[in-house]
Amino acid sequence: MMKLKCIAVDDEPLALDIIEDYISKVPFLELVKRTENAIEALQLVQAGGIDLVFLDVQMPDLTGIQFLKIATGKSNYILTTAYSQYALESYDLNVSDYLLKPIAFDRFYKAVEKVHSQVKNTEAAVTPAPVPVVAPSPAVIHPVQDFIFVKTEHKIQKIELDDILYIEGLKDYISIYTKTERVITLQNMKKMEETLPSSQFIRVHKSYIISLDKIESIERSRITICGKVIPIGDTYRDEFFKRIENKNL
């Protein structure tokens, strides 16, 4: 049976518990992630591979409506909210369904079954005819995503990964230094490290993450990037030099 890969996004843990429980009862649904962080969910959607998003409307950092206007890709959306006034606007944004809280399981099942049928029909319509078998060409590996979204004081900003030089962690926020600007966001280093592709970025100090291809020079325990001298912490030294050796720098 084809399964829909799902994420659930809501700033209320109890609401997430209910959605997670309902998903577990439906054979054709698979919960990939539940999160209270709308920006984290947006990055997952942008990375691709998510078939269905259960999305709350009223969230502090990014509302469901704002989420829908920003998001790209082919995910399907079911809004979950206690407020009915957003229904019309959500349908203008091609939402598959709109579930009012408290959500009954039979109503939930009806909504997800509709999405499941639509996805199956779409895949059947685009299934190509059999083609002759030929020798495989070398695989071309494309990055899952080439940008991230971060929340700044007044907006949500898109940052191209290739523009990032290094990231500095401070007490309550981090600074992302790019080729043209410094972007400050309320986020911790661990979360940022998990978000960035490890093939391109590496943590070298408790306060620094760097872009490997932006390194200008390495001298003892110091890295220079665009004139900035960045220390290599003892905890990260072995892994950093191992990566450097593998890249034949």
Side-chain angles (χ1 to χ4, degrees):
M1 178 183 293
M2 180 195 71
K3 286 196 173 187
L4 301 180
K5 295 186 181 297
C6 310
I7 61 172
V9 193
D10 201 305
D11 62 330
E12 298 178 2
L14 180 58
L16 287 174
D17 289 342
I18 293 171
I19 294 296
E20 182 174 6
D21 179 56
Y22 284 0
I23 289 174
S24 70
K25 296 176 180 178
V26 181
F28 55 79
L29 297 182
E30 177 186 346
L31 182 62
V32 174
K33 179 78 173 179
R34 55 173 280 175
T35 179
E36 299 173 36
N37 188 322
I39 296 175
E40 177 186 27
L42 182 62
Q43 292 174 346
L44 285 171
V45 169
Q46 303 290 47
I50 302 300
D51 301 306
L52 178 57
V53 181
F54 296 94
L55 182 64
D56 185 29
V57 174
Q58 294 281 50
M59 293 182 289
D61 293 330
L62 187 67
T63 70
I65 300 300
Q66 291 170 333
F67 188 109
L68 290 167
K69 290 179 178 178
I70 295 172
T72 59
K74 299 180 179 179
S75 299
N76 298 278
Y77 293 87
I78 294 177
L79 290 190
T80 60
T81 180
Y83 304 94
S84 60
Q85 64 263 36
Y86 300 103
L88 182 60
E89 185 176 5
S90 70
Y91 283 117
D92 288 340
L93 295 167
N94 295 319
V95 167
S96 297
D97 213 329
Y98 190 97
L99 301 180
L100 283 175
K101 299 176 181 177
I103 302 167
F105 179 72
D106 61 334
R107 181 67 182 88
F108 174 89
Y109 188 85
K110 182 179 178 181
V112 297
E113 187 176 40
K114 178 172 68 174
V115 175
H116 189 236
S117 296
Q118 290 172 345
V119 173
K120 282 199 302 183
N121 292 338
T122 300
E123 290 192 354
V126 299
T127 300
V131 295
V133 177
V134 295
S137 300
V140 178
I141 301 174
H142 299 281
V144 173
Q145 65 181 57
D146 54 9
F147 57 88
I148 58 172
F149 284 103
V150 297
K151 186 176 185 296
T152 63
E153 185 177 1
H154 302 295
K155 62 184 178 181
I156 293 171
Q157 183 165 340
K158 178 181 179 181
I159 301 177
E160 300 288 341
L161 295 184
D162 190 52
D163 288 342
I164 298 175
L165 302 173
Y166 62 91
I167 296 165
E168 182 179 11
L170 301 169
K171 183 178 180 181
D172 298 318
Y173 59 91
I174 62 174
S175 292
I176 302 173
Y177 290 85
T178 74
K179 298 174 181 177
T180 58
E181 62 182 332
R182 174 193 181 195
V183 179
I184 300 174
T185 180
L186 288 170
Q187 192 170 152
N188 61 56
M189 289 289 280
K190 184 176 186 299
K191 192 66 180 177
M192 179 56 69
E193 184 180 7
E194 293 171 352
T195 299
L196 295 169
S198 58
S199 60
Q200 188 174 348
F201 295 89
I202 186 170
R203 192 165 183 175
V204 297
H205 188 275
K206 67 178 182 179
S207 300
Y208 289 98
I209 297 171
I210 67 164
S211 175
L212 284 165
D213 65 0
K214 302 301 189 303
I215 295 174
E216 295 174 356
S217 64
I218 304 167
E219 183 180 355
R220 296 178 183 174
S221 295
R222 297 181 298 177
I223 301 164
T224 301
I225 296 179
C226 201
K228 168 71 173 179
V229 177
I230 297 171
I232 303 172
D234 292 340
T235 304
Y236 306 93
R237 182 189 310 276
D238 290 346
E239 179 62 22
F240 171 70
F241 282 106
K242 181 179 177 182
R243 291 280 298 278
I244 292 299
E245 290 172 5
N246 289 341
K247 284 185 173 291
N248 296 318
L249 292 179

